[in-house]
Amino acid sequence: NINAYHKEIATVGGTGALSISFSLFLNDNQYILLPQTGWSNYDAIAKNYNLKPMYYSLTDKDNNIDIMDMMLKSLQIIKKQHKLVIVINDPCQNPTGISLSQNDWKLLIEYFNRLEEYGNVIIINDIAYIDYGYKNPFEYLSNFNRMADNVLSVITYSCSKAVSSYGYRVGMALIISNNEVEVNRVFNCFKRKTRCYYSNVNNGFMLAYGKMMKDYKQLYLQELNYAIDMLKKRSECFIEQASINN
């Protein structure tokens, strides 16, 4: 679905992609916008680089998905420091399971495009659990094709989540923008930082993952679909019981 200019680079897990992104786009004491309910390591990584977290809520007072707070906090930050770096863990957000709709993403990209007068926008889209979505989870990516030149996205991905085996330390950063020069600049910065931090990723697992996708893809997809179906049934059961018990 991605027609905008893009480049990808292997990282030490999804965490490696996130950590490099946090350090690359912001300086000490600058603000980063994080989900109020989210993975605790976002805060740990931000504090490690002396960044100031600000938080947005994904739901309104009635627990309905609402992106308005995200938009308001984005405007506050970019007006203050003329740059916005926002982390959006979607789809299948950890720990809520929330997935934004196609229309939510359309509205967000349109909004970020309009912030051009204030500065650049960097969307760090953490898709660690995208493989477990069951409502066409990759469809929203087409919205990145409509980003203005002031908007860049880094999609961070984790192979260990995709195969339900933690610890292999292989992930990816996918850099996307309609500004080809900026993508190449960010890619080169990523490449230098990865060489400085850890030189290379787990080559053995990269080879194993490639062989699995080439020779055993159907078996993998069967296991994955079984897990998706199980999670869907569990979530439906949880929601039903939570509703009954208020």
Side-chain angles (χ1 to χ4, degrees), residues 4-184:
Y5 191 73
H6 59 278
K7 281 189 171 182
E8 64 282 333
I9 187 166
T11 59
V12 176
T15 305
L18 288 162
S19 182
I20 290 175
S21 297
F22 280 37
S23 68
L24 184 61
F25 295 114
L26 291 169
N27 299 319
D28 283 10
N29 296 312
Q30 287 191 308
Y31 287 94
I32 185 166
L33 188 55
L34 303 175
Q36 190 172 55
T37 303
W39 188 44
S40 60
N41 265 23
Y42 293 145
D43 285 274
I45 297 169
K47 289 171 184 174
N48 185 55
Y49 293 117
N50 297 315
L51 305 178
K52 296 179 179 178
M54 187 180 287
Y55 304 96
Y56 64 86
S57 174
L58 267 176
T59 57
D60 60 21
K61 59 183 178 62
D62 297 316
N63 285 327
N64 298 309
I65 296 175
D66 187 355
I67 59 174
M68 184 57 67
D69 191 55
M70 190 191 305
M71 291 177 170
L72 291 174
K73 298 289 175 53
S74 295
L75 184 60
Q76 289 177 27
I77 289 177
I78 200 169
K79 277 187 171 182
K80 186 175 297 185
Q81 65 187 27
H82 306 294
K83 177 189 286 186
L84 169 67
V85 178
I86 179 171
V87 176
I88 304 177
N89 180 198
D90 184 82
C92 306
Q93 202 244 15
N94 177 18
T96 66
I98 287 173
S99 292
L100 299 177
S101 69
Q102 175 81 341
N103 190 57
D104 289 331
W105 271 104
K106 179 177 179 290
L107 292 173
L108 281 173
I109 296 301
E110 289 175 351
Y111 182 74
F112 292 144
N113 288 346
R114 292 200 299 271
L115 297 180
E116 184 174 15
E117 63 177 296
Y118 301 110
N120 294 326
V121 177
I122 296 95
I123 306 165
I124 301 175
N125 180 202
D126 181 358
I127 62 168
Y129 294 97
I130 192 170
D131 291 291
Y132 298 93
Y134 52 85
K135 294 181 179 178
N136 195 4
F138 295 91
E139 180 185 19
Y140 81 99
L141 292 170
S142 61
N143 288 288
F144 291 122
N145 297 325
R146 293 188 285 273
M147 292 188 298
D149 283 354
N150 68 302
V151 184
L152 179 140
S153 178
V154 177
I155 295 179
T156 63
Y157 180 73
S158 169
C159 285
S160 62
K161 306 296 190 304
V163 297
S164 298
S165 295
Y166 291 85
Y168 287 112
R169 311 317 309 145
V170 174
M172 177 193 70
L174 177 63
I175 306 154
I176 309 169
S177 176
N178 283 302
N179 185 334
E180 182 176 340
V181 172
E182 189 64 12
V183 170
N184 288 326

Side-chain angles (χ1 to χ4, degrees), residues 10-13 167-171 198 200-208:
T11 59
V12 176
Y168 287 112
R169 311 317 309 145
V170 174
Y198 46 77
N200 203 349
V201 302
N202 185 336
N203 189 58
F205 183 64
M206 283 198 291
L207 292 172

